[in-house]
Amino acid sequence: MPPNTTASSGRKPGKSGRKKGRKARLFLIVLVLALFGGVAYGGYWGVSTVRASFPQTKGSLTLDGLSGPVDVKRDGNGIPQIYASSDEDLFMAQGYVQAQDRFYEMDVRRHMTSGRLSEMFGSGQVKNDEFLRTMGWDRVAKEEYDKKLSASTKKYLQAYAKGVNAYLKGKDGKDISLEYAALGFTNDYKPQEWTPVDSVAWLKAMAWDLRGNMQEEIDRSLMTSRLGPKQIADLYPEYPYSRNKTITQEGQYDSVTGSYVQGSGTTLGSGTQSTAGTGLAGNTTAPNGLQSQLSKLYNVLDNVPTAVGVNGNGIGSNSWVVAGKYTITGKPLLANDPHLSASLPSVWYQMGLHCTSVSSKCQYDVSGYTFAGMPGVVIGHNQDIAWGMTNSGVDVTDLYLEKITGEGYERDGKVLPFTTRRETIKVAGGADKTIVVRETKDGMPLLSDRDDELVKVGKKATVDSGAPDRGDGYAIALRWTALDPGNSMDAVFQLDRASNWTEFRTAAASFDVPSQNLIYADTNNHIGYQLPGKIPTRAKGDDGSLPSPGWDSKYKWTGYIKQSELPYEYDPKRGYIVTANQAVVDKDKYPYTLTTDWGYGTRSQRITDLIEAKIKGGGKISTDDMRQMQLDDSSEIAKLIVPKLLKIDVADKNVRDAQKLLEGWDYTQDADSAAAAYFNATWRNILKLAFGNKLPKELRVKGQCLNVAPVDTTGPADENQTVRECGQREADQAQPDGGDRWFEVVRKIIDDPNNDWWKAPKTRLDKAADNRDELFARAMKDARWELTAKLGKDMDTWSWGRLHRLFLKNQTLGTDGPGVLQYMLNRGPWRLGGGEATVNATGWNAAGGYGVVWVPSMRMVVNLDDFDKSKWINLSGASGHAYSAHYTDQTDKWAKGELLPWSFSGKAVDKSTSDTLVLKP
């Protein structure tokens, strides 16, 4: 079910012969459906089905519930701009139009958030549904809708749902999308009406993928089975505050007023920030039983379908804003490109929402990126301000080891009863399944209840002597801010109509989850940054980096950081703000531990350097300069390692020839670069030899087996005393993933050639490596022969893009459907430049291979001087219909780094309009 970009049977259409390719694919549909449904009937049915699901984009339609006519103007890429005379009409039309293009995607999303995937796809999704029901996203969303959201937000959600349902009225599945037609061969699923809660629940899925450091919390605990505390600390180095700048630089926490201030305040002493947490009642290692339990939990988490990210790992984004004094226009420029899973269709849907006349009756004139299934614009601009988002990465989840006694759990020596609820999962083509969900009084669900193995291991888990007696065993519970009802949906509409910095910050205050870095610019020449979110505070000594003992209440959250205490910047003297998942604030200027797992600032510092180089050179920054910065593919780790590689004396002529590729290389990772291909292969093998082969099996790639030293051995494996262990993790989730944490790990030891990490045991083909240069030489040799096998012996044919390919897959049937159906729904490959932790972050997992795993899911540059000169692009296209002209019509341009014109004013929209549909009451 989750998007998977490592393999595909799809093909990329070339520029020439697209009509022929489209006709050929249409013929294939007819052929396949003929085989399914009978030759005589199948040909006619296949063609009619494909055409029947395409939206009407011209003429007029009648929609019950509208108070006046609404114009839907689509440009040549099928991107709609909606014009209405009331808020309710505007959002009703948004629901109708998004359903026209993306209802199947919307339907899958709501089944995911509500734990009802089995209703659509059968028994293979029961385990996922069990976990999602345990989390209870839809239950929390309903409580938000009933008790938390403003009356106006509810009104907009109702109008949106009315529009979706107006589209669904009278339609069978095959009239909606090709996927429903395919599903019809295996079950009798029929789409149900949309509800306002379906839209609210989507924010929970988004928050789950952007939840912070839960994966790292599990990984650190799993590492204790094979690594000691010092080794684990080596692999999670401190953020390099002295080298890579934080987001906020001109403000700090004022201990006198108890708020965050800009330009003044009292610098905090070394004792004010929380020290590294220990969890587990003072242990820095996880109990052996818990290691196995966490491994099982990771497997459960890894199988949960992703909403926007890669199950919490590898997610990054870039955004930055430059003040008018440094731009050609004299007004700010704002850029944003969130890095998320590659999916088809893209998670984003471009759209404009315009009131024909902005007034109290109709308050919106906004354009940008939306989520199909949710009203409003998430990222973009209105007539006064622009904003962007990157994931802050703050730690809003904690795992707790719970002491189970009888039918309850222990807390401070007392046994408390669980709150329980029964959930019935309906299964297409199978029997219903009922589960019991247990929660603590804090609202923490027991995740370990969702796996029989977890229960068994929980009964055997060992802990330190301070823990309560084993009794009936231990379980794992989750504390997460998104499981508390909030009002993030209110924030979306507040952002859409904000006209200045004060209103922007007011909107940010409602943005409970997920916590995002929000950047800002306005037409009055101001720029800013705000960290929003419901961010927990913990007891001193507990930083949330390891699971905590639930039986001791001193480890519970102590509260939440106040809005007035959250870091921000407004018109900083330096004239720009960069956010790219780096640390938000210097640790000596802030009393709270926001997370122990920031991105390490590689991308953010590169963006900063590019901006400062332009400024210091006396130049002014243009919209195209911002676009070019987004495409920067310089490899920072190559700058560090290549000079060392070139000094190594290589005996093997073939390896020496490959080594020469690195001579004179400028460290850019173009798709056609042979040097980039060879360096990244060498980097991958360095990571494998120095670190990957020393990690426990739970973190290594599934199926990759090694002879390793027994657990109680700390040095290199003795060939006469080893055990066979095979990796257990999916390739795109394994470690070392090669991200900028690993850049920092290597940077710390690069000038220590005899460091123990540089040692690697001998194998049947290689002698032992005893130092850095011997390991590097072995990595260069391994890389040479790996690329020979993958790309051929002739290095003139090598290129990074041949290794580093993007496949776009339909989110459901494109991954789990029959091969021929995958062919019909999927597209690719595209050969890409860029790489891991570069500004052009086409991410790949070094443990698993070179395929593209996450991407800049969209790119935009907003010109605050003239919005019509802004630019944007989406990963795929506006349509979710596989044979629509707008299915992937933006992808070729996206891959080349091009941007599309972004019309905003009525005049510009009219000029770019290709089709107009009038919705009438």
Side-chain angles (χ1 to χ4, degrees):
M1 286 295 304
N4 181 338
T5 60
T6 59
S8 173
S9 56
R11 296 176 183 170
K12 174 188 171 185
K15 282 188 176 180
S16 62
R18 283 183 177 164
K19 285 188 177 179
K20 183 185 291 184
R22 194 172 294 130
K23 287 180 180 178
R25 289 193 298 271
L26 190 59
F27 174 77
L28 179 62
I29 294 177
V30 174
L31 177 62
V32 171
L33 296 177
L35 293 174
F36 278 15
V39 175
Y41 178 64
Y44 168 78
W45 183 87
V47 173
S48 65
T49 296
V50 169
R51 291 175 177 168
S53 63
F54 288 0
Q56 179 180 340
T57 60
K58 295 180 179 179
S60 63
L61 288 169
T62 300
L63 260 62
D64 291 339
L66 288 176
S67 63
V70 177
D71 291 339
V72 181
K73 302 178 180 182
R74 296 179 185 258
D75 67 11
N77 291 99
I79 299 170
Q81 304 284 337
I82 300 177
Y83 290 84
S85 55
S86 74
D87 290 341
E88 291 94 327
D89 284 356
L90 192 64
F91 294 116
M92 181 178 176
Q94 183 182 15
Y96 185 88
V97 171
Q98 288 190 339
Q100 279 188 305
D101 280 333
R102 299 280 193 95
F103 182 76
Y104 176 76
E105 173 193 7
M106 293 163 57
D107 201 16
V108 171
R109 284 178 175 177
R110 67 165 164 178
H111 278 78
M112 180 185 74
T113 57
S114 60
R116 294 165 47 220
L117 287 167
S118 300
E119 293 179 15
M120 294 184 74
F121 304 107
S123 59
Q125 295 303 318
V126 169
K127 282 290 185 183
N128 285 334
D129 284 346
E130 289 180 4
F131 183 82
L132 293 164
R133 293 288 185 95
T134 299
M135 300 281 277
W137 295 346
D138 61 331
R139 295 174 65 255
V140 180
K142 187 176 188 309
E143 191 171 350
E144 286 184 0
Y145 181 80
D146 290 341
K147 300 178 181 179
K148 288 285 188 178
L149 298 182
S150 68
S152 62
T153 294
K154 288 183 181 181
K155 182 172 62 177
Y156 301 155
L157 288 164
Q158 291 163 4
Y160 181 89
K162 189 188 299 183
V164 175
N165 294 328
Y167 168 76
L168 293 177
K169 188 176 181 180
K171 288 184 174 65
D172 293 326
K174 64 182 176 60
D175 300 322
I176 299 172
S177 79
L178 178 62
E179 291 92 334
Y180 286 124
L183 280 177
F185 286 108
T186 58
N187 65 55
D188 58 355
Y189 173 79
K190 290 180 174 54
Q192 299 172 347
E193 286 197 342
W194 193 263
T195 73
V197 174
D198 292 334
S199 295
V200 179
W202 172 239
L203 284 173
K204 299 302 174 186
M206 179 182 172
W208 175 251
D209 281 359
L210 304 175
R211 62 192 176 272
N213 76 335
M214 195 164 99
Q215 256 36 16
E216 287 82 0
E217 189 173 337
I218 293 172
D219 285 357
R220 272 189 291 264
S221 298
L222 292 173
M223 284 181 183
T224 61
S225 67
R226 190 156 291 279
L227 302 177
K230 169 64 168 59
Q231 292 169 309
I232 295 174
D234 287 346
L235 302 186
Y236 289 90
E238 285 277 329
Y239 183 88
Y241 289 98
S242 61
R243 187 176 71 255
N244 294 343
K245 295 176 181 176
T246 58
I247 296 175
T248 60
Q249 299 171 35
E250 299 176 14
Q252 56 193 334
Y253 186 83
D254 189 321
S255 58
V256 176
T257 63
S259 62
Y260 194 87
V261 295
Q262 187 164 334
S264 63
T266 305
T267 301
L268 300 173
S270 60
T272 46
Q273 184 163 359
S274 277
T275 57
T278 56
L280 295 172
N283 281 341
T284 56
T285 61
N288 290 334
L290 181 58
Q291 293 159 8
S292 298
Q293 198 168 20
L294 288 172
S295 177
K296 292 290 184 181
L297 173 59
Y298 192 101
N299 292 336
V300 174
L301 299 180
D302 191 36
N303 286 328
V304 174
T306 57
V308 296
V310 191
N311 285 328
N313 276 350
I315 295 176
S317 300
N318 302 323
S319 69
W320 65 95
V321 60
V322 180
K325 64 181 178 179
Y326 293 129
T327 69
I328 287 176
T329 66
K331 291 287 183 71
L333 293 171
L334 184 151
N336 195 189
D337 56 287
H339 307 154
L340 303 170
S341 290
S343 60
L344 184 62
S346 166
V347 69
W348 300 109
Y349 184 90
Q350 295 151 289
M351 178 175 260
L353 301 171
H354 308 277
C355 290
T356 52
S357 178
V358 177
S359 64
S360 58
K361 179 183 177 182
C362 197
Q363 306 172 70
Y364 296 89
D365 188 14
V366 61
S367 183
Y369 294 87
T370 72
F371 290 134
M374 198 178 88
V377 169
V378 178
I379 293 174
H381 71 83
N382 59 29
Q383 69 272 36
D384 298 307
I385 75 167
W387 67 96
M389 298 184 189
T390 63
N391 192 25
S392 71
V394 298
D395 186 3
V396 295
T397 60
D398 277 343
L399 295 173
Y400 285 85
L401 188 64
E402 297 291 346
K403 167 67 174 67
I404 306 299
T405 301
E407 296 299 314
Y409 62 100
E410 196 164 312
R411 184 70 53 85
D412 296 331
K414 298 179 181 178
V415 177
L416 303 177
F418 286 108
T419 299
T420 61
R421 54 185 162 89
R422 298 176 70 84
E423 297 277 350
T424 299
I425 299 168
K426 297 184 180 299
V427 182
D432 294 353
K433 182 172 183 180
T434 300
I435 63 171
V436 176
V437 177
R438 297 189 290 177
E439 293 181 351
T440 69
K441 69 173 185 179
D442 311 291
M444 296 193 296
L446 263 60
L447 302 187
S448 49
D449 279 357
R450 299 286 68 84
D451 192 296
D452 292 339
E453 292 294 323
L454 290 178
V455 175
K456 294 175 184 176
V457 176
K459 292 181 178 180
K460 299 177 182 178
T462 56
V463 291
D464 69 355
S465 58
D469 291 337
R470 185 188 317 277
D472 294 331
Y474 301 95
I476 295 175
L478 172 68
R479 185 80 169 97
W480 179 32
T481 54
L483 296 183
D484 298 328
N487 57 344
S488 292
M489 198 71 235
D490 286 339
V492 173
F493 299 109
Q494 290 171 335
L495 282 173
D496 285 358
R497 60 177 184 261
S499 62
N500 54 47
W501 172 245
T502 299
E503 292 177 359
F504 174 80
R505 290 193 78 197
T506 299
S510 298
F511 212 108
D512 293 334
V513 293
S515 177
Q516 299 286 285
N517 295 311
L518 295 178
I519 60 165
Y520 167 93
D522 65 34
T523 55
N524 290 323
N525 227 342
H526 300 292
I527 65 173
Y529 162 84
Q530 177 68 56
L531 176 68
K534 189 175 183 180
I535 303 171
T537 56
R538 299 171 175 86
K540 187 173 181 179
D542 179 17
D543 63 3
S545 61
L546 285 169
S548 298
W551 50 81
D552 190 340
S553 62
K554 77 178 182 182
Y555 285 92
K556 72 177 184 179
W557 291 353
T558 57
Y560 300 94
I561 302 174
K562 297 176 183 177
Q563 170 73 10
S564 62
E565 298 176 306
L566 292 172
Y568 73 94
E569 273 194 336
Y570 184 59
D571 289 337
K573 294 176 183 177
R574 63 186 180 280
Y576 62 87
I577 302 170
V578 176
T579 87
N581 317 112
Q582 79 270 40
V584 169
V585 61
D586 193 292
K587 63 180 179 179
D588 293 329
K589 296 181 179 180
Y590 202 62
Y592 302 110
T593 299
L594 296 171
T595 185
T596 59
D597 294 295
W598 300 114
Y600 282 79
T602 302
R603 282 178 288 109
S604 62
Q605 194 57 43
R606 176 64 179 171
I607 295 166
T608 297
D609 292 344
L610 291 170
I611 293 171
E612 290 189 343
K614 190 77 173 181
I615 292 172
K616 290 176 181 177
K620 296 284 188 177
I621 295 173
S622 68
T623 300
D624 198 59
D625 289 331
M626 300 284 274
R627 180 187 71 86
Q628 293 286 356
M629 291 177 191
Q630 288 179 325
L631 302 179
D632 182 82
D633 57 15
S634 175
S635 172
E636 298 303 299
I637 191 63
K639 294 175 185 178
L640 181 69
I641 290 180
V642 166
K644 308 289 186 186
L645 297 176
L646 290 175
K647 291 180 180 179
I648 296 174
D649 185 14
V650 177
D652 187 313
K653 179 183 181 301
N654 291 301
V655 180
R656 189 165 66 251
D657 288 344
Q659 183 187 35
K660 289 178 181 178
L661 291 173
L662 304 178
E663 295 177 359
W665 180 41
D666 62 359
Y667 309 118
T668 60
Q669 301 173 95
D670 298 327
D672 60 358
S673 171
Y678 182 61
F679 170 74
N680 282 318
T682 301
W683 168 237
R684 179 177 184 241
N685 280 280
I686 287 172
L687 289 170
K688 178 181 176 182
L689 293 169
F691 309 104
N693 291 349
K694 299 165 188 174
L695 296 177
K697 61 183 182 295
E698 292 86 357
L699 276 69
R700 300 200 314 269
V701 175
K702 185 182 293 185
Q704 291 185 3
C705 303
L706 296 169
N707 292 324
V708 300
V711 172
D712 59 352
T713 302
T714 57
D718 181 345
E719 61 178 309
N720 298 315
Q721 187 184 14
T722 61
V723 294
R724 190 72 168 166
E725 284 189 352
C726 298
Q728 298 179 351
R729 192 166 285 187
E730 294 298 326
D732 63 356
Q733 297 287 300
Q735 293 292 337
D737 60 21
D740 66 353
R741 173 164 68 89
W742 294 99
F743 289 15
E744 197 64 22
V745 169
V746 170
R747 188 184 296 276
K748 293 282 188 183
I749 63 173
I750 191 72
D751 293 322
D752 180 8
N754 295 311
N755 191 284
D756 284 345
W757 286 110
W758 298 131
K759 300 184 188 329
K762 70 177 183 178
T763 67
R764 184 172 59 85
L765 298 176
D766 297 289
K767 67 177 184 178
D770 293 323
N771 56 51
R772 179 197 66 203
D773 288 352
E774 288 181 0
L775 186 141
F776 280 12
R778 188 162 148 187
M780 282 196 291
K781 185 198 74 169
D782 290 349
R784 171 55 163 119
W785 298 117
E786 181 185 359
L787 295 197
T788 297
K790 291 180 181 296
L791 304 179
K793 188 174 182 180
D794 184 0
M795 293 187 302
D796 289 340
T797 68
W798 289 6
S799 71
W800 177 223
R802 286 182 63 194
L803 288 172
H804 193 53
R805 300 185 300 166
L806 169 68
F807 293 90
L808 292 180
K809 284 198 164 191
N810 176 280
Q811 60 183 330
T812 54
L813 301 180
T815 58
D816 288 342
V820 71
L821 192 58
Q822 293 186 35
Y823 183 97
M824 294 158 62
L825 296 173
N826 299 338
R827 300 292 181 270
W830 285 265
R831 297 179 178 184
L832 300 185
E836 181 62 36
T838 64
V839 181
N840 184 19
T842 54
W844 56 287
N845 185 299
Y850 303 99
V852 177
V853 179
W854 55 88
V855 294
S857 56
M858 61 80 157
R859 298 186 183 101
M860 75 174 193
V861 180
V862 183
N863 184 325
L864 274 295
D865 180 59
D866 184 349
F867 287 121
D868 289 331
K869 292 182 180 178
S870 302
K871 304 285 186 179
W872 62 353
I873 197 80
N874 204 352
L875 172 63
S876 58
S879 179
H881 299 286
Y883 293 94
S884 164
H886 306 306
Y887 191 47
T888 55
D889 60 335
Q890 296 186 51
T891 311
D892 281 349
K893 289 182 171 63
W894 172 91
K896 295 173 184 175
E898 299 175 9
L899 298 176
L900 298 174
W902 184 353
S903 300
F904 180 69
S905 69
K907 182 178 179 180
V909 168
D910 285 342
K911 186 177 180 180
S912 64
T913 295
S914 295
D915 295 348
T916 299
L917 174 68
V918 179
L919 303 177
K920 297 180 177 180

